[in-house]
Amino acid sequence: MINTNERARDLYLSLGFVITRKLVGFGRSRKLAAPDVAPAKECDLKTVAAMLAKFADAGLSWQTDPRSFERAGAPLKGFALDDKAAVLLDDSGKDIRLLGLAVDPAHRGEGFGRSLTDALAARYPGRRLFIIENVPEGLLDRFMRRIGWRKSSLTQSEMAIDLI
């Protein structure tokens, strides 16, 4: 549920739903100059989906869970860097929407995530890169801030209801 939609929130809460966590998004400005790096090269979607599943953090939202992408097809595209970082995206719109982004936990902090996102910026100069507001708050915040992406002002609340 989008947090600015107070009427929807109040309705869900009145029906017994509880807020379990906040979900956030991030974006890289289209005005930010593309880095002087080689553009990212596309690779097989199945390979990227497998990498995302292997590198995934626990507790992802269903929208970012790699199992959601096991049967991915067009218009989605996959990109990988040295078998250590992977991204799944949709470039069919005005902006580039990243649906999955992961770095091998054994290689985090070594620059692979930044290198891959920089290569995407080089591939899509002048286009905004973004991750929609479905990432658990705190999961990517520090990394995204370090690479110059900004947190979206829009947030969602993940909600649950006990059916028993």
Side-chain angles (χ1 to χ4, degrees), residues 45-118:
L45 284 173
K46 289 183 189 272
T47 300
V48 167
M51 289 174 69
L52 291 174
K54 181 178 177 185
F55 303 157
D57 289 296
L60 297 173
S61 66
W62 69 266
Q63 300 101 319
T64 56
D65 189 307
R67 292 174 291 187
S68 297
F69 309 120
E70 287 175 349
R71 299 181 194 273
L76 302 186
K77 294 181 179 178
F79 298 86
L81 180 62
D82 296 336
D83 296 325
K84 293 178 178 70
V87 67
L88 184 72
L89 61 77
D90 180 350
D91 67 357
S92 63
K94 179 178 100 174
D95 296 326
I96 311 302
R97 179 180 173 194
L98 280 65
L99 301 166
L101 169 65
V103 175
D104 183 339
H107 295 282
R108 291 183 182 169
E110 297 176 11
F112 289 100
R114 175 189 294 271
S115 293
L116 182 54
T117 57
D118 283 352

Side-chain angles (χ1 to χ4, degrees), residues 118-134:
D118 283 352
L120 290 172
R123 181 180 177 99
Y124 299 105
R127 293 176 74 185
R128 179 176 171 259
L129 302 172
F130 75 100
I131 299 173
I132 198 164
E133 295 77 15
N134 56 20

